[in-house]
PDB file of all heavy atoms in Angstrom:
ATOM      1  N   GLN A  26      18.698  -0.693 -14.231  1.00 89.00           N
ATOM      2  CA  GLN A  26      17.855  -0.344 -15.360  1.00 89.00           C
ATOM      3  C   GLN A  26      17.859   1.126 -15.775  1.00 89.00           C
ATOM      4  O   GLN A  26      17.331   1.456 -16.794  1.00 89.00           O
ATOM      5  CB  GLN A  26      16.386  -0.770 -15.061  1.00 89.00           C
ATOM      6  CG  GLN A  26      16.210  -2.240 -14.714  1.00 89.00           C
ATOM      7  CD  GLN A  26      16.505  -3.162 -15.872  1.00 89.00           C
ATOM      8  OE1 GLN A  26      16.580  -2.735 -17.033  1.00 89.00           O
ATOM      9  NE2 GLN A  26      16.664  -4.452 -15.584  1.00 89.00           N
ATOM     10  N   GLY A  27      18.374   1.975 -14.888  1.00 87.00           N
ATOM     11  CA  GLY A  27      18.325   3.410 -15.179  1.00 87.00           C
ATOM     12  C   GLY A  27      16.978   4.001 -14.812  1.00 87.00           C
ATOM     13  O   GLY A  27      16.116   3.366 -14.213  1.00 87.00           O
ATOM     14  N   ASP A  28      16.773   5.252 -15.276  1.00 84.00           N
ATOM     15  CA  ASP A  28      15.512   5.923 -15.049  1.00 84.00           C
ATOM     16  C   ASP A  28      14.392   5.174 -15.791  1.00 84.00           C
ATOM     17  O   ASP A  28      14.526   4.897 -16.973  1.00 84.00           O
ATOM     18  CB  ASP A  28      15.629   7.363 -15.598  1.00 84.00           C
ATOM     19  CG  ASP A  28      14.459   8.227 -15.241  1.00 84.00           C
ATOM     20  OD1 ASP A  28      13.300   7.739 -15.192  1.00 84.00           O
ATOM     21  OD2 ASP A  28      14.669   9.423 -15.011  1.00 84.00           O
ATOM     22  N   PRO A  29      13.309   4.820 -15.089  1.00 83.00           N
ATOM     23  CA  PRO A  29      12.222   4.033 -15.760  1.00 83.00           C
ATOM     24  C   PRO A  29      11.602   4.797 -16.919  1.00 83.00           C
ATOM     25  O   PRO A  29      10.959   4.163 -17.750  1.00 83.00           O
ATOM     26  CB  PRO A  29      11.194   3.815 -14.631  1.00 83.00           C
ATOM     27  CG  PRO A  29      11.527   4.791 -13.578  1.00 83.00           C
ATOM     28  CD  PRO A  29      13.016   5.052 -13.645  1.00 83.00           C
ATOM     29  N   ARG A  30      11.790   6.090 -17.022  1.00 74.00           N
ATOM     30  CA  ARG A  30      11.273   6.832 -18.189  1.00 74.00           C
ATOM     31  C   ARG A  30      11.953   6.434 -19.436  1.00 74.00           C
ATOM     32  O   ARG A  30      11.393   6.540 -20.557  1.00 74.00           O
ATOM     33  CB  ARG A  30      11.449   8.343 -17.971  1.00 74.00           C
ATOM     34  CG  ARG A  30      10.577   8.958 -16.930  1.00 74.00           C
ATOM     35  CD  ARG A  30      10.844  10.429 -16.756  1.00 74.00           C
ATOM     36  NE  ARG A  30      12.244  10.672 -16.321  1.00 74.00           N
ATOM     37  CZ  ARG A  30      12.755  11.890 -16.194  1.00 74.00           C
ATOM     38  NH1 ARG A  30      12.059  12.943 -16.519  1.00 74.00           N
ATOM     39  NH2 ARG A  30      13.989  12.038 -15.752  1.00 74.00           N
ATOM     40  N   PHE A  31      13.195   5.935 -19.368  1.00 70.00           N
ATOM     41  CA  PHE A  31      14.006   5.637 -20.545  1.00 70.00           C
ATOM     42  C   PHE A  31      14.412   4.173 -20.644  1.00 70.00           C
ATOM     43  O   PHE A  31      15.279   3.824 -21.408  1.00 70.00           O
ATOM     44  CB  PHE A  31      15.268   6.511 -20.513  1.00 70.00           C
ATOM     45  CG  PHE A  31      14.986   7.941 -20.273  1.00 70.00           C
ATOM     46  CD1 PHE A  31      15.448   8.575 -19.119  1.00 70.00           C
ATOM     47  CD2 PHE A  31      14.239   8.681 -21.183  1.00 70.00           C
ATOM     48  CE1 PHE A  31      15.195   9.898 -18.907  1.00 70.00           C
ATOM     49  CE2 PHE A  31      13.966  10.052 -20.970  1.00 70.00           C
ATOM     50  CZ  PHE A  31      14.443  10.652 -19.802  1.00 70.00           C
ATOM     51  N   SER A  32      13.771   3.319 -19.827  1.00 62.00           N
ATOM     52  CA  SER A  32      14.138   1.921 -19.790  1.00 62.00           C
ATOM     53  C   SER A  32      13.173   1.083 -20.615  1.00 62.00           C
ATOM     54  O   SER A  32      12.020   0.940 -20.300  1.00 62.00           O
ATOM     55  CB  SER A  32      14.126   1.434 -18.338  1.00 62.00           C
ATOM     56  OG  SER A  32      14.272   0.037 -18.273  1.00 62.00           O
ATOM     57  N   SER A  33      13.700   0.470 -21.683  1.00 53.00           N
ATOM     58  CA  SER A  33      12.852  -0.421 -22.501  1.00 53.00           C
ATOM     59  C   SER A  33      12.497  -1.682 -21.738  1.00 53.00           C
ATOM     60  O   SER A  33      11.438  -2.268 -21.894  1.00 53.00           O
ATOM     61  CB  SER A  33      13.594  -0.789 -23.799  1.00 53.00           C
ATOM     62  OG  SER A  33      14.835  -1.416 -23.523  1.00 53.00           O
ATOM     63  N   THR A  34      13.434  -2.126 -20.877  1.00 51.00           N
ATOM     64  CA  THR A  34      13.144  -3.306 -20.030  1.00 51.00           C
ATOM     65  C   THR A  34      11.959  -3.026 -19.104  1.00 51.00           C
ATOM     66  O   THR A  34      11.082  -3.864 -18.934  1.00 51.00           O
ATOM     67  CB  THR A  34      14.361  -3.688 -19.200  1.00 51.00           C
ATOM     68  OG1 THR A  34      15.490  -3.923 -20.081  1.00 51.00           O
ATOM     69  CG2 THR A  34      14.092  -4.930 -18.367  1.00 51.00           C
ATOM     70  N   SER A  35      11.940  -1.838 -18.512  1.00 50.00           N
ATOM     71  CA  SER A  35      10.853  -1.453 -17.638  1.00 50.00           C
ATOM     72  C   SER A  35       9.536  -1.415 -18.371  1.00 50.00           C
ATOM     73  O   SER A  35       8.499  -1.898 -17.920  1.00 50.00           O
ATOM     74  CB  SER A  35      11.146  -0.094 -16.998  1.00 50.00           C
ATOM     75  OG  SER A  35      10.071   0.320 -16.206  1.00 50.00           O
ATOM     76  N   ALA A  36       9.542  -0.859 -19.584  1.00 49.00           N
ATOM     77  CA  ALA A  36       8.306  -0.789 -20.387  1.00 49.00           C
ATOM     78  C   ALA A  36       7.799  -2.181 -20.740  1.00 49.00           C
ATOM     79  O   ALA A  36       6.592  -2.438 -20.681  1.00 49.00           O
ATOM     80  CB  ALA A  36       8.579   0.029 -21.663  1.00 49.00           C
ATOM     81  N   ALA A  37       8.705  -3.068 -21.102  1.00 48.00           N
ATOM     82  CA  ALA A  37       8.328  -4.438 -21.444  1.00 48.00           C
ATOM     83  C   ALA A  37       7.736  -5.133 -20.268  1.00 48.00           C
ATOM     84  O   ALA A  37       6.708  -5.865 -20.335  1.00 48.00           O
ATOM     85  CB  ALA A  37       9.520  -5.210 -22.016  1.00 48.00           C
ATOM     86  N   ARG A  38       8.327  -4.932 -19.067  1.00 52.00           N
ATOM     87  CA  ARG A  38       7.842  -5.573 -17.860  1.00 52.00           C
ATOM     88  C   ARG A  38       6.449  -5.062 -17.526  1.00 52.00           C
ATOM     89  O   ARG A  38       5.556  -5.837 -17.135  1.00 52.00           O
ATOM     90  CB  ARG A  38       8.814  -5.297 -16.693  1.00 52.00           C
ATOM     91  CG  ARG A  38       8.392  -5.998 -15.390  1.00 52.00           C
ATOM     92  CD  ARG A  38       9.332  -5.627 -14.258  1.00 52.00           C
ATOM     93  NE  ARG A  38      10.609  -6.268 -14.458  1.00 52.00           N
ATOM     94  CZ  ARG A  38      11.740  -5.612 -14.690  1.00 52.00           C
ATOM     95  NH1 ARG A  38      11.713  -4.299 -14.733  1.00 52.00           N
ATOM     96  NH2 ARG A  38      12.888  -6.242 -14.829  1.00 52.00           N
ATOM     97  N   ARG A  39       6.239  -3.781 -17.675  1.00 48.00           N
ATOM     98  CA  ARG A  39       4.915  -3.210 -17.349  1.00 48.00           C
ATOM     99  C   ARG A  39       3.841  -3.749 -18.284  1.00 48.00           C
ATOM    100  O   ARG A  39       2.723  -3.990 -17.876  1.00 48.00           O
ATOM    101  CB  ARG A  39       4.937  -1.681 -17.464  1.00 48.00           C
ATOM    102  CG  ARG A  39       5.669  -1.015 -16.317  1.00 48.00           C
ATOM    103  CD  ARG A  39       5.373   0.479 -16.303  1.00 48.00           C
ATOM    104  NE  ARG A  39       5.637   1.126 -17.577  1.00 48.00           N
ATOM    105  CZ  ARG A  39       6.831   1.574 -17.908  1.00 48.00           C
ATOM    106  NH1 ARG A  39       7.863   1.477 -17.099  1.00 48.00           N
ATOM    107  NH2 ARG A  39       7.017   2.175 -19.075  1.00 48.00           N
ATOM    108  N   SER A  40       4.208  -4.017 -19.531  1.00 42.00           N
ATOM    109  CA  SER A  40       3.213  -4.514 -20.474  1.00 42.00           C
ATOM    110  C   SER A  40       2.837  -5.957 -20.170  1.00 42.00           C
ATOM    111  O   SER A  40       1.764  -6.383 -20.515  1.00 42.00           O
ATOM    112  CB  SER A  40       3.776  -4.431 -21.900  1.00 42.00           C
ATOM    113  OG  SER A  40       4.832  -5.350 -22.116  1.00 42.00           O
ATOM    114  N   ARG A  41       3.712  -6.716 -19.498  1.00 44.00           N
ATOM    115  CA  ARG A  41       3.435  -8.113 -19.190  1.00 44.00           C
ATOM    116  C   ARG A  41       2.742  -8.278 -17.877  1.00 44.00           C
ATOM    117  O   ARG A  41       2.155  -9.309 -17.572  1.00 44.00           O
ATOM    118  CB  ARG A  41       4.760  -8.924 -19.149  1.00 44.00           C
ATOM    119  CG  ARG A  41       5.441  -9.052 -20.485  1.00 44.00           C
ATOM    120  CD  ARG A  41       6.528 -10.126 -20.405  1.00 44.00           C
ATOM    121  NE  ARG A  41       7.466  -9.879 -19.353  1.00 44.00           N
ATOM    122  CZ  ARG A  41       8.631  -9.206 -19.530  1.00 44.00           C
ATOM    123  NH1 ARG A  41       8.872  -8.681 -20.680  1.00 44.00           N
ATOM    124  NH2 ARG A  41       9.451  -9.049 -18.515  1.00 44.00           N
ATOM    125  N   ARG A  42       2.849  -7.290 -16.980  1.00 52.00           N
ATOM    126  CA  ARG A  42       2.417  -7.442 -15.600  1.00 52.00           C
ATOM    127  C   ARG A  42       1.046  -6.829 -15.396  1.00 52.00           C
ATOM    128  O   ARG A  42       0.689  -5.797 -15.941  1.00 52.00           O
ATOM    129  CB  ARG A  42       3.422  -6.775 -14.663  1.00 52.00           C
ATOM    130  CG  ARG A  42       3.174  -7.017 -13.201  1.00 52.00           C
ATOM    131  CD  ARG A  42       4.263  -6.359 -12.378  1.00 52.00           C
ATOM    132  NE  ARG A  42       4.198  -4.944 -12.411  1.00 52.00           N
ATOM    133  CZ  ARG A  42       5.135  -4.156 -12.928  1.00 52.00           C
ATOM    134  NH1 ARG A  42       6.202  -4.690 -13.492  1.00 52.00           N
ATOM    135  NH2 ARG A  42       5.036  -2.839 -12.928  1.00 52.00           N
ATOM    136  N   THR A  43       0.252  -7.463 -14.554  1.00 49.00           N
ATOM    137  CA  THR A  43      -1.037  -6.901 -14.150  1.00 49.00           C
ATOM    138  C   THR A  43      -1.038  -6.765 -12.667  1.00 49.00           C
ATOM    139  O   THR A  43      -0.518  -7.575 -11.919  1.00 49.00           O
ATOM    140  CB  THR A  43      -2.199  -7.795 -14.586  1.00 49.00           C
ATOM    141  OG1 THR A  43      -2.035  -9.084 -14.028  1.00 49.00           O
ATOM    142  CG2 THR A  43      -2.283  -7.908 -16.104  1.00 49.00           C
ATOM    143  N   HIS A  44      -1.678  -5.700 -12.142  1.00 53.00           N
ATOM    144  CA  HIS A  44      -1.749  -5.527 -10.699  1.00 53.00           C
ATOM    145  C   HIS A  44      -2.759  -6.536 -10.129  1.00 53.00           C
ATOM    146  O   HIS A  44      -3.660  -7.026 -10.789  1.00 53.00           O
ATOM    147  CB  HIS A  44      -2.248  -4.126 -10.346  1.00 53.00           C
ATOM    148  CG  HIS A  44      -1.161  -3.093 -10.367  1.00 53.00           C
ATOM    149  ND1 HIS A  44      -0.176  -3.069  -9.414  1.00 53.00           N
ATOM    150  CD2 HIS A  44      -0.890  -2.085 -11.233  1.00 53.00           C
ATOM    151  CE1 HIS A  44       0.668  -2.087  -9.668  1.00 53.00           C
ATOM    152  NE2 HIS A  44       0.258  -1.455 -10.748  1.00 53.00           N
ATOM    153  N   ALA A  45      -2.536  -6.857  -8.863  1.00 54.00           N
ATOM    154  CA  ALA A  45      -3.466  -7.733  -8.158  1.00 54.00           C
ATOM    155  C   ALA A  45      -4.873  -7.120  -8.158  1.00 54.00           C
ATOM    156  O   ALA A  45      -5.007  -5.906  -8.037  1.00 54.00           O
ATOM    157  CB  ALA A  45      -2.999  -7.954  -6.722  1.00 54.00           C
ATOM    158  N   SER A  46      -5.881  -7.960  -8.325  1.00 50.00           N
ATOM    159  CA  SER A  46      -7.275  -7.453  -8.293  1.00 50.00           C
ATOM    160  C   SER A  46      -8.057  -8.234  -7.257  1.00 50.00           C
ATOM    161  O   SER A  46      -7.788  -9.399  -6.991  1.00 50.00           O
ATOM    162  CB  SER A  46      -7.885  -7.583  -9.699  1.00 50.00           C
ATOM    163  OG  SER A  46      -7.887  -8.931 -10.094  1.00 50.00           O
ATOM    164  N   PHE A  47      -9.053  -7.560  -6.708  1.00 49.00           N
ATOM    165  CA  PHE A  47      -9.813  -8.137  -5.585  1.00 49.00           C
ATOM    166  C   PHE A  47     -11.294  -7.775  -5.773  1.00 49.00           C
ATOM    167  O   PHE A  47     -11.634  -6.864  -6.507  1.00 49.00           O
ATOM    168  CB  PHE A  47      -9.307  -7.563  -4.262  1.00 49.00           C
ATOM    169  CG  PHE A  47      -7.848  -7.757  -4.090  1.00 49.00           C
ATOM    170  CD1 PHE A  47      -6.967  -6.819  -4.524  1.00 49.00           C
ATOM    171  CD2 PHE A  47      -7.374  -8.957  -3.587  1.00 49.00           C
ATOM    172  CE1 PHE A  47      -5.580  -7.024  -4.428  1.00 49.00           C
ATOM    173  CE2 PHE A  47      -6.018  -9.156  -3.458  1.00 49.00           C
ATOM    174  CZ  PHE A  47      -5.121  -8.224  -3.864  1.00 49.00           C
ATOM    175  N   PRO A  48     -12.177  -8.508  -5.089  1.00 42.00           N
ATOM    176  CA  PRO A  48     -13.584  -8.167  -5.156  1.00 42.00           C
ATOM    177  C   PRO A  48     -13.804  -6.725  -4.694  1.00 42.00           C
ATOM    178  O   PRO A  48     -13.178  -6.297  -3.721  1.00 42.00           O
ATOM    179  CB  PRO A  48     -14.210  -9.182  -4.181  1.00 42.00           C
ATOM    180  CG  PRO A  48     -13.264 -10.310  -4.106  1.00 42.00           C
ATOM    181  CD  PRO A  48     -11.891  -9.720  -4.271  1.00 42.00           C
ATOM    182  N   MET A  49     -14.654  -6.006  -5.372  1.00 33.00           N
ATOM    183  CA  MET A  49     -14.839  -4.593  -5.036  1.00 33.00           C
ATOM    184  C   MET A  49     -15.323  -4.359  -3.612  1.00 33.00           C
ATOM    185  O   MET A  49     -15.091  -3.328  -3.042  1.00 33.00           O
ATOM    186  CB  MET A  49     -15.810  -3.964  -6.022  1.00 33.00           C
ATOM    187  CG  MET A  49     -15.253  -3.804  -7.439  1.00 33.00           C
ATOM    188  SD  MET A  49     -13.720  -2.854  -7.455  1.00 33.00           S
ATOM    189  CE  MET A  49     -14.301  -1.255  -6.909  1.00 33.00           C
ATOM    190  N   THR A  50     -15.979  -5.351  -3.011  1.00 33.00           N
ATOM    191  CA  THR A  50     -16.454  -5.198  -1.625  1.00 33.00           C
ATOM    192  C   THR A  50     -15.306  -5.152  -0.626  1.00 33.00           C
ATOM    193  O   THR A  50     -15.472  -4.735   0.507  1.00 33.00           O
ATOM    194  CB  THR A  50     -17.391  -6.364  -1.248  1.00 33.00           C
ATOM    195  OG1 THR A  50     -16.729  -7.603  -1.481  1.00 33.00           O
ATOM    196  CG2 THR A  50     -18.654  -6.288  -2.049  1.00 33.00           C
ATOM    197  N   SER A  51     -14.083  -5.611  -1.025  1.00 39.00           N
ATOM    198  CA  SER A  51     -12.973  -5.632  -0.095  1.00 39.00           C
ATOM    199  C   SER A  51     -12.033  -4.427  -0.241  1.00 39.00           C
ATOM    200  O   SER A  51     -11.066  -4.353   0.456  1.00 39.00           O
ATOM    201  CB  SER A  51     -12.144  -6.897  -0.302  1.00 39.00           C
ATOM    202  OG  SER A  51     -11.436  -6.829  -1.520  1.00 39.00           O
ATOM    203  N   ILE A  52     -12.338  -3.523  -1.130  1.00 39.00           N
ATOM    204  CA  ILE A  52     -11.411  -2.433  -1.461  1.00 39.00           C
ATOM    205  C   ILE A  52     -11.996  -1.078  -1.163  1.00 39.00           C
ATOM    206  O   ILE A  52     -13.170  -0.827  -1.380  1.00 39.00           O
ATOM    207  CB  ILE A  52     -11.044  -2.508  -2.983  1.00 39.00           C
ATOM    208  CG1 ILE A  52     -10.251  -3.758  -3.298  1.00 39.00           C
ATOM    209  CG2 ILE A  52     -10.283  -1.263  -3.419  1.00 39.00           C
ATOM    210  CD1 ILE A  52      -9.948  -3.931  -4.755  1.00 39.00           C
ATOM    211  N   ILE A  53     -11.161  -0.218  -0.596  1.00 40.00           N
ATOM    212  CA  ILE A  53     -11.456   1.209  -0.571  1.00 40.00           C
ATOM    213  C   ILE A  53     -10.341   1.891  -1.296  1.00 40.00           C
ATOM    214  O   ILE A  53      -9.182   1.724  -0.973  1.00 40.00           O
ATOM    215  CB  ILE A  53     -11.520   1.736   0.886  1.00 40.00           C
ATOM    216  CG1 ILE A  53     -12.635   1.031   1.637  1.00 40.00           C
ATOM    217  CG2 ILE A  53     -11.746   3.223   0.889  1.00 40.00           C
ATOM    218  CD1 ILE A  53     -12.601   1.356   3.083  1.00 40.00           C
ATOM    219  N   SER A  54     -10.596   2.639  -2.354  1.00 43.00           N
ATOM    220  CA  SER A  54      -9.554   3.253  -3.124  1.00 43.00           C
ATOM    221  C   SER A  54      -9.614   4.737  -2.998  1.00 43.00           C
ATOM    222  O   SER A  54     -10.528   5.315  -2.398  1.00 43.00           O
ATOM    223  CB  SER A  54      -9.698   2.833  -4.593  1.00 43.00           C
ATOM    224  OG  SER A  54     -10.714   3.626  -5.199  1.00 43.00           O
TER     225      SER A  54
END
């Protein structure tokens, strides 16, 4: 894909993907 700064595929993938989420009581950030 090349450098993610210049990858349109990378940008499209990021727009479709969401990070896993958990109840706030289980997380320390």
Side-chain angles (χ1 to χ4, degrees):
Q26 303 293 346
D28 190 323
R30 291 178 296 175
F31 311 114
S32 170
S33 58
T34 303
S35 177
R38 182 183 290 114
R39 287 194 305 274
S40 69
R41 294 194 303 268
R42 188 177 68 245
T43 57
H44 278 290
S46 59
F47 305 91
M49 289 304 296
T50 54
S51 71
I52 292 175
I53 297 171
S54 79

